[in-house]
Amino acid sequence: MNAPRRPSRRGSLTGSIVLLTTAVAAVAVVLTGLFAWRVIRTNAENQEREQLSRQAEVLARTPPLASWILDRQERIAGADDIQLALVRPSGTVDGPAAATVEDKGRRTLLSGKTLSTTARLDGREVLVEGAPTPTGGGLVLTQPMSAVDQATDRMRGSLVLPLGLGLTGAALAGALLARRLARPLVSAARTAHRLSEGERGLTVPAEGPAEVAELAGALNTLDAALTHSEDRQREFLLSVSHEIRTPLTTVRGYAEALADEVVTGDEVPEAGRILRGEIERLERFVGDLLALARLEADDFRLDTDEVDLDALVAEAAQAWSARCSRLDVDFRVERPARPLPVITDGFRVRQLVDGLAENALRVTPAGKPLVLAVRADGPGALLEVRDGGPGLTDDDIAVAFERGALTDRYRGVRPVGSGLGLAIAHRLTTRLGGTITASGRAPEGGARFTVRLPSHPMAPYTPRTLP
């Protein structure tokens, strides 16, 4: 024997959300760090240039101070290793940083413009900033690029902490979000498992985001629907057991009487008629149950063709006129007396008409009318069965097509059948692509059932379970 397969292990939603938010934050941190890494270098260089340029402008405004520094061959600020070059009005360049002033730079300063460039001095790369002097020359200051590197390192070092805090904060936010999402989902999943195990009357708190709250609402609605459906099924089974038990009890009683020779002689034919009637009653009930089951099946077959509903109703009227006459019921037929073609299954339409007529005849008293009508309804057709019986209340109409609803309500009050006839009519009409409605008061005083059939073949039917 093969060992039972175990369900594949999957990570939790909480872990997935935390991992996802952390990964997104990590990518954001890396991209931000790479961008900032380059920008910091540029900003550090700009800051050093700006500071060096301001110093050059100050010295350029005081040529005697610049000349004194030049004569002493001193650096401006020893720690920063800033060196000076002086461009005289004649174009000569003097000072420790003279090697950084090229012809282009000298012409720029002599024309009264500032100088900002990069050069090499004593084998090192340096920043070069120059400003024109009031006497017509210019003053140039240089600073090693190592100062920019030091400033860059300081600024990049200060970037690590906020990036780390951002990554940690994203992970914490992901954990909080995951907890907020996962907790109601776990609660909903537990409720769904309990519903599958048969528990009812459960409530899922509608908390969390709108989608999660909608899921909770759907489960609560499902719980209510399952409860209602199971209650109706339980009532239906009780009704079925009652319908079957009564004729079975009668059949068993007469069978025992015949076996014990309690019924003899002239009483035997009467007992046989009673037994046959009860058996026929059982057959009708079982037949209704089978018909209802077939209508719920996915492979229920329909043979569609062009059907003349006027001719179909005329044929049905002949059969029902005779049955109504035996019960002294005034049968009437209303039809256009001209072809009324629709694309449908004629056998199933006749089955539908017979079922509604059977239901109407059961409750129609002697002397009252029963009407079978057909007429055009736009591109399709409309069938009606009306009776002169007690009719239906608004509450009756609301449950008329539920299995056994009217039978349970009126058992012992008026003649009732198996309780499946109207449920079968509803499903059969749906299979035919039409609609069926009930009205409590027809012109004849009783109930009216109206079936609207389309003129063309039906779309595929999706079975559903009625309460």
Side-chain angles (χ1 to χ4, degrees):
M1 292 180 60
N2 294 328
R5 295 181 60 185
R6 295 183 179 180
S8 58
R9 299 186 63 181
R10 300 180 180 180
S12 66
L13 177 63
T14 301
S16 299
I17 293 178
V18 173
L19 181 61
L20 177 61
T21 53
T22 304
V24 171
V27 172
V29 165
V30 170
L31 293 177
T32 302
L34 291 175
F35 178 76
W37 204 260
R38 299 181 62 87
V39 171
I40 285 174
R41 171 74 182 188
T42 302
N43 289 342
E45 182 175 339
N46 290 338
Q47 289 179 8
E48 294 298 324
R49 284 188 181 277
E50 184 178 357
Q51 183 177 355
L52 189 63
S53 176
R54 285 198 299 268
Q55 293 181 19
E57 289 178 358
V58 170
L59 290 176
R61 294 192 188 100
T62 57
L65 177 60
S67 298
W68 180 80
I69 295 174
L70 181 62
D71 291 339
R72 295 186 51 112
Q73 296 291 305
E74 290 184 356
R75 293 173 180 171
I76 302 302
D80 293 332
D81 208 12
I82 296 176
Q83 298 192 45
L84 178 144
L86 187 62
V87 179
R88 300 186 185 278
S90 61
T92 60
V93 182
D94 299 320
T100 63
V101 182
E102 300 177 350
D103 291 342
K104 183 178 179 181
R106 184 170 60 250
R107 290 194 299 269
T108 298
L109 291 172
L110 290 174
S111 64
K113 298 179 181 178
T114 59
L115 176 65
S116 180
T117 185
T118 303
R120 298 193 67 83
L121 181 64
D122 298 332
R124 297 184 300 175
E125 189 176 14
V126 295
L127 301 175
V128 179
E129 295 291 328
T133 60
T135 58
L139 184 136
V140 175
L141 294 181
T142 65
Q143 182 178 19
M145 193 64 75
S146 58
V148 176
D149 295 336
Q150 293 173 4
T152 301
D153 292 340
R154 290 194 301 270
M155 296 174 67
R156 286 175 175 173
S158 64
L159 182 66
V160 174
L161 179 60
L163 290 179
L165 291 176
L167 183 60
T168 303
L172 293 175
L176 293 175
L177 175 62
R179 179 179 176 83
R180 186 167 183 263
L181 287 176
R183 184 169 56 186
L185 288 177
V186 170
S187 176
R190 289 173 179 169
T191 301
H193 285 303
R194 293 171 65 186
L195 287 174
S196 68
E197 293 171 357
E199 291 189 53
R200 298 294 179 262
L202 306 177
T203 302
V204 183
E207 58 183 10
E211 293 80 3
V212 179
E214 184 177 356
L215 173 62
L219 284 175
N220 292 334
T221 302
L222 175 63
D223 178 50
L226 288 174
T227 300
H228 177 72
S229 177
E230 290 174 356
D231 287 345
R232 293 299 306 155
Q233 290 178 9
R234 191 177 298 108
E235 293 173 4
F236 175 68
L237 290 175
L238 291 174
S239 174
V240 168
S241 65
H242 175 81
E243 291 292 335
I244 293 178
R245 185 185 298 113
T246 300
L248 283 178
T249 301
T250 302
V251 169
R252 180 176 180 177
Y254 274 92
E256 290 177 350
L258 289 170
D260 295 339
E261 297 183 353
V262 175
V263 176
T264 58
D266 296 339
E267 296 176 342
V268 173
E270 179 62 22
R273 284 191 294 271
I274 293 175
L275 287 173
R276 184 177 61 187
E278 294 301 320
I279 292 172
E280 289 175 351
R281 179 181 172 187
L282 278 174
E283 287 179 342
R284 286 195 302 270
F285 187 73
V286 172
D288 286 347
L289 286 174
L290 292 175
L292 195 59
R294 285 194 295 269
L295 284 168
E296 292 292 348
D298 292 337
D299 58 350
F300 181 77
R301 180 178 176 181
L302 288 175
D303 296 320
T304 59
D305 200 354
E306 185 174 273
V307 177
D308 182 2
L309 290 186
D310 179 76
L312 185 147
V313 168
E315 180 182 348
Q318 293 179 359
W320 285 100
S321 176
R323 289 191 60 179
C324 290
S325 178
R326 289 195 297 268
L327 298 175
D328 197 23
V329 171
D330 181 16
F331 179 77
R332 305 172 190 171
V333 62
E334 298 175 358
R335 61 188 185 91
R338 57 178 177 80
L340 186 55
V342 296
I343 305 298
T344 188
D345 186 328
F347 176 80
R348 297 301 179 184
V349 173
R350 176 61 190 270
Q351 180 184 357
L352 175 61
V353 169
D354 289 345
L356 292 175
E358 178 76 31
N359 181 75
L361 182 60
R362 186 183 304 112
V363 296
T364 303
K368 295 292 184 177
L370 189 156
V371 179
L372 174 59
V374 63
R375 63 178 181 271
D377 182 46
L382 184 147
L383 292 166
E384 275 191 351
V385 175
R386 308 192 300 267
D387 62 66
L392 299 173
T393 66
D394 291 341
D395 291 339
D396 294 339
I397 293 173
V399 297
F401 300 108
E402 294 183 10
R403 295 172 297 191
L406 297 184
T407 298
D408 294 341
R409 183 171 296 183
Y410 289 110
R411 181 179 284 111
V413 178
R414 65 176 69 165
V416 295
S418 65
L420 302 177
L422 291 179
I424 292 174
H426 182 277
R427 284 162 173 74
L428 189 53
T429 303
T430 304
R431 286 288 201 177
L432 293 170
T435 60
I436 183 171
T437 57
S439 175
R441 289 296 172 185
E444 292 73 20
R448 168 169 37 195
F449 291 91
T450 304
V451 176
R452 287 179 169 81
L453 294 175
S455 60
H456 300 289
M458 298 70 61
Y461 170 72
T462 302
R464 68 184 184 91
T465 302
L466 287 178

